[in-house]
Amino acid sequence: MNRRLLQFLQAENITQSQLADILSVARGSVSHILSGRNKPGYDFLESLLLHFPSLNLDWLMTGKGRMYRDSEPSDAPESASTDVLPVIHASLPARSVERITVFYSDNTFQDFVAKE
């Protein structure tokens, strides 16, 4: 996994130090993960995916698939609406949507939680 994380940093054109700053972790943590000394913990992976939502976790963890998740072009308006939850829920009968997080270009995000 450390090699794939390094590939991801190169693809994103960011340094180890920049990644540590983005994820708010110690710079040594990233260095130890990349050297293979330590394995990333849940908090590290969660923060990585929150800050880089297009990263394919399957690829990062196992090497299967592509580095980035396939994403469809968005024709959605700038402001999101909570009425999208029933539409998504209806299209996924085997699962239920618990939460949708929208990430904005100004590095903010908004969570939409499904009502039970």
Side-chain angles (χ1 to χ4, degrees), residues 66-111:
R66 296 182 179 188
M67 182 183 300
Y68 295 101
R69 293 189 226 178
D70 293 332
S71 59
E72 299 176 15
S74 175
D75 295 329
E78 286 288 325
S79 62
S81 170
T82 56
D83 59 358
V84 73
L85 289 174
V87 173
I88 293 174
H89 183 60
S91 67
L92 297 172
R95 305 183 231 175
S96 63
V97 174
E98 293 179 8
R99 181 179 83 189
I100 296 176
T101 303
V102 178
F103 295 91
Y104 298 99
S105 59
D106 64 353
N107 292 326
T108 61
F109 66 92
Q110 186 174 8
D111 279 332

Side-chain angles (χ1 to χ4, degrees), residues 23-84:
L23 302 182
S24 299
V25 298
R27 292 179 179 188
S29 298
V30 174
S31 176
H32 290 171
I33 291 168
L34 289 172
S35 71
R37 177 178 176 197
N38 294 345
K39 294 182 188 234
Y42 176 81
D43 292 337
F44 180 89
L45 294 172
E46 180 183 37
S47 185
L48 186 65
L49 291 178
L50 285 173
H51 289 89
F52 300 96
S54 62
L55 176 61
N56 181 355
L57 186 59
D58 287 336
W59 172 82
L60 183 64
M61 300 287 289
T62 66
K64 294 179 182 176
R66 296 182 179 188
M67 182 183 300
Y68 295 101
R69 293 189 226 178
D70 293 332
S71 59
E72 299 176 15
S74 175
D75 295 329
E78 286 288 325
S79 62
S81 170
T82 56
D83 59 358
V84 73

